[in-house]
Amino acid sequence: MSVSKFKKLATIATAAVSVSVLLTACQGKKSSSSTSTKTTKHSIALITDNNAIDDHSFNEAAWNGFKAFGKKHGLKQGKGGYQYFESSSAADFTPNANEAASSGFETIFGVGYQLTSAIKSAAKKNPKKNFVIIDDVISGQKNVASVTFESNQASYLAGIAAAYTTKTNHVGYIGGAKSATLELFEAGFKQGVEAGAKALGKKIKIDDQYIGNFTSTDKAKSIAQSMYASGADIIYHAAGNAGNGVFTEAKDINKNRKASKKVWVIGVDVDQSSLGSYTSKDGKKSNFVLTSVLKGLDVAVERIAEKAYQGKFPGGKHFVYTLEGNGVSVTKGNIDSKTWSKVQAARKQILNDKVKVAESVSDLK
C-alpha cells in the first residue's frame, strides 16, 4: 500500500508512566523479562518480525524507543511494564500478539508490514486492547493506530550522496522482500542517484536486486559480492537483518585493499556505522558506511505509548513521518563536506516542494 494517500505528519504529546514485573517466556518464542512488584494498565509490548530484537535494523530501532520510554519514566522490562516478544517465523506473529494481550499488556506494537494480518486478527480478538502497526495501514479498526514513513525522501538523499561519492559511476541497491514499502526505498534512491548524476553531467549505472526475505544474510552477501565484482563501489541495502551480509562482504573486500580504494555500504533504519569499522590492507583504521537512512521508529513508538498512557490512544488514526521534523533522515556518516552540502540542499528542495520524490519504481519511468 502506498503512503501517498495519507500526508499528515502527526505530533503526539508525551506523559509520564511508572511500571514493571516479571514475564515468563512464551512457549516456542523468546521474550525479555525482569522482576518487580508494580503493575500498570498502561503497559506496552513489542512484537518483532522474524528477526531478533538486536537485528541492527528495524526491530532494534523500535526497541530503542521502548528503552528510551522506560529510562525516561523509570520503567523496567516485564509484565506490567514494557516487553518484547521475538518471532522466529511468521507463524509466531498472531500467537505472540495474543499472548501479549492475555499477559496484560495494554498497547501492543507490531513491527513491520509483515505483521499486518496478525495485528488485524489480534485487535479483533482483543477489542479492549490497543494495537499499533508499524510500516502499514489498518483501516476500520478503532483500536488500531497505524504508522508509516516516507522513506523514499531520505532514500533520495542517500542517492544524492552516492552520486557525488562514487568513483566508478556504478552503484547498487539490495532490498529484502519486495513490496510497496520496499519500493519506497528503491525508488527514492534511484531518483536521487539520477538527480545527482544529472547535476554532475555524468551517467551512473544502478544495479538492483531483491533477496526475497529479510533473514538470508548469505544470499545478501552473495548478491553484494556480485555487485561489487561488477564494478559497483556503493551499495544501499534495505534488507533488515539480511543486510548484515552486505556489511560482511564489504568488510571482506576492504580489509584486502588500501583504505583509499574502499567500497561503501549505505545503512538503513538505524545508524549502522558501527558495522563498518575495519583495518585496511595498509594498516589504516577506517569505516566503510557512507551514511544510514533513518526511520524515526523510536520516536513514533514512544509518542504513541505515552499518548496511550494519557488515556488518549489514537485508535483509527494514521501517522506519517517525513523529512519534516526528521521523521526520516540520513546521517552525516562519512559523507564529505561538499557532498553533505548537496544533500542538505536536496533536503530543502523536498521540504519546499521543489522536488517530488517517487513512491514506486514505475513512477520513475
Side-chain angles (χ1 to χ4, degrees):
M1 179 182 293
S2 171
V3 299
S4 60
K5 298 179 181 179
F6 310 88
K7 291 293 181 182
K8 298 295 183 182
L9 172 70
T11 55
I12 308 176
T14 59
V17 165
S18 179
V19 290
S20 73
V21 213
L22 169 69
L23 179 65
T24 56
C26 307
Q27 184 177 1
K29 312 168 192 70
K30 182 180 176 182
S31 60
S32 59
S33 63
S34 70
T35 58
S36 178
T37 57
K38 297 180 181 179
T39 60
T40 177
K41 66 178 182 178
H42 300 297
S43 53
I44 55 178
L46 181 66
I47 314 302
T48 74
D49 60 15
N50 53 356
N51 288 308
I53 197 70
D54 57 350
D55 61 355
H56 303 298
S57 189
F58 209 63
N59 293 321
E60 186 171 317
W63 184 238
N64 285 341
F66 271 55
K67 290 191 294 184
F69 181 81
K71 182 178 181 180
K72 182 178 180 179
H73 301 298
L75 311 182
K76 294 181 179 180
Q77 296 177 28
K79 187 175 180 180
Y82 69 100
Q83 173 79 336
Y84 67 80
F85 291 75
E86 283 187 351
S87 306
S88 59
S89 70
D92 291 333
F93 296 162
T94 298
N96 270 346
N98 286 322
E99 176 69 16
S102 64
S103 295
F105 291 93
E106 290 299 309
T107 303
I108 299 151
F109 294 75
V111 183
Y113 68 88
Q114 295 181 98
L115 281 88
T116 302
S117 294
I119 294 299
K120 280 183 179 179
S121 175
K124 289 179 180 179
K125 184 176 180 179
N126 303 279
K128 294 184 179 181
K129 301 290 185 178
N130 304 321
F131 290 84
V132 183
I133 184 65
I134 304 292
D135 242 10
D136 205 350
V137 180
I138 294 176
S139 303
Q141 291 184 239
K142 294 182 179 180
N143 63 330
V144 181
S146 303
V147 176
T148 58
F149 301 84
E150 294 201 350
S151 303
N152 54 325
Q153 294 183 343
S155 295
Y156 179 94
L157 302 184
I160 292 290
Y164 278 86
T165 302
T166 179
K167 294 179 180 179
T168 62
N169 293 330
H170 188 173
V171 302
Y173 166 82
I174 298 176
K178 194 165 187 177
S179 66
T181 298
L182 266 290
E183 276 213 29
L184 288 172
F185 293 92
E186 181 184 5
F189 180 65
K190 286 183 174 179
Q191 185 179 351
V193 170
E194 291 169 359
K198 183 177 180 179
L200 290 165
K202 63 181 183 180
K203 291 184 178 180
I204 298 176
K205 181 180 179 181
I206 307 173
D207 292 334
D208 61 88
Q209 190 170 341
Y210 282 85
I211 299 166
N213 58 60
F214 296 96
T215 57
S216 298
T217 55
D218 288 347
K219 186 173 181 180
K221 186 179 188 302
S222 177
I223 294 171
Q225 182 182 48
S226 178
M227 286 186 179
Y228 285 132
S230 68
D233 60 350
I234 302 172
I235 293 177
Y236 173 34
H237 91 90
N241 189 65
N244 288 319
V246 180
F247 290 93
T248 300
E249 179 59 25
K251 183 170 289 187
D252 287 347
I253 292 171
N254 287 331
K255 68 184 182 182
N256 292 307
R257 292 185 178 187
K258 291 183 178 181
S260 60
K261 300 293 185 180
K262 75 178 71 172
V263 295
W264 297 95
V265 177
I266 294 175
V268 76
D269 293 336
V270 296
D271 183 352
Q272 296 189 311
S273 58
S274 63
L275 301 178
S277 297
Y278 76 104
T279 301
S280 65
K281 183 179 180 179
D282 48 342
K284 295 182 179 179
K285 292 189 180 298
S286 190
N287 191 288
F288 59 79
V289 177
L290 180 62
T291 181
S292 294
V293 172
L294 307 182
K295 284 186 175 182
L297 277 89
D298 53 345
V299 175
V301 299
E302 184 178 357
R303 286 177 174 175
I304 292 180
E306 295 200 18
K307 193 67 174 178
Y309 172 75
Q310 291 182 335
K312 299 179 181 179
F313 177 73
K317 293 186 178 180
H318 173 211
F319 302 98
V320 182
Y321 288 81
T322 72
L323 284 179
E324 185 177 347
N326 290 320
V328 295
S329 60
V330 293
T331 62
K332 171 66 166 60
N334 288 294
I335 299 174
D336 64 58
S337 297
K338 180 180 178 181
T339 299
W340 185 244
S341 68
K342 299 298 183 182
V343 169
Q344 293 305 300
R347 181 179 184 275
K348 289 181 180 179
Q349 288 181 317
I350 295 172
L351 290 174
N352 293 332
D353 295 324
K354 293 183 178 180
V355 170
K356 178 175 175 55
V357 184
E359 296 179 348
S360 69
V361 176
S362 62
D363 291 339
L364 299 175
K365 298 176 181 179

